[in-house]
Amino acid sequence: MDMLSWSDIEILIKSNTCVLKKNNYDCILAVSRGGLVPAVMISHFIGISEVQVISIKRNSTNEAYSKKIEPIISNFDKTVLAGKNVLIVEDIVST
């Protein structure tokens, strides 16, 4: 697995700023834990001040490679996103 530095992540986000701005997002939904830092970075680069957070549990334990379970969503009120154009940010492919 290749590891990205903070500089790499910043370059990737900056290189996509124009595309992201064209979509006129109203807010960003960050999937915790992995999506929090990139979501905030993106919010600064494209000028979106509203960042909401959702927690999704997909593993039976916190152990690496633990059994997958049906997603459990917590800490989320979907009414705050009603009628908004939302950018979802997550850094883990399996979520």
Side-chain angles (χ1 to χ4, degrees):
M1 170 177 23
D2 292 335
M3 298 296 283
L4 298 175
S5 69
W6 286 115
S7 295
D8 294 333
I9 294 168
E10 187 173 341
I11 290 166
L12 287 168
I13 291 171
K14 282 182 177 180
S15 68
N16 287 289
T17 299
C18 290
V19 173
L20 293 171
K21 282 185 176 183
K22 288 179 185 177
N23 288 299
N24 296 315
Y25 293 109
D26 300 309
C27 70
I28 296 173
L29 179 61
V31 179
S32 70
R33 297 177 306 187
L36 296 175
V37 172
V40 171
M41 291 174 75
I42 290 168
S43 76
H44 287 288
F45 286 122
I46 65 175
I48 294 177
S49 60
E50 183 179 353
V51 178
Q52 299 291 332
V53 178
I54 187 171
S55 177
I56 303 174
K57 182 176 180 178
R58 291 272 306 154
N59 296 59
S60 57
T61 70
N62 287 330
E63 302 282 324
Y65 308 109
S66 67
K67 179 183 171 192
K68 295 288 185 197
I69 59 173
E70 285 294 315
I72 299 171
I73 298 173
S74 58
N75 301 328
F76 182 64
D77 175 9
K78 64 183 177 185
T79 62
V80 299
L81 302 179
K84 295 182 179 178
N85 189 19
V86 180
L87 172 63
I88 300 172
V89 178
E90 169 60 303
D91 79 336
I92 299 175
V93 176
S94 66
T95 304

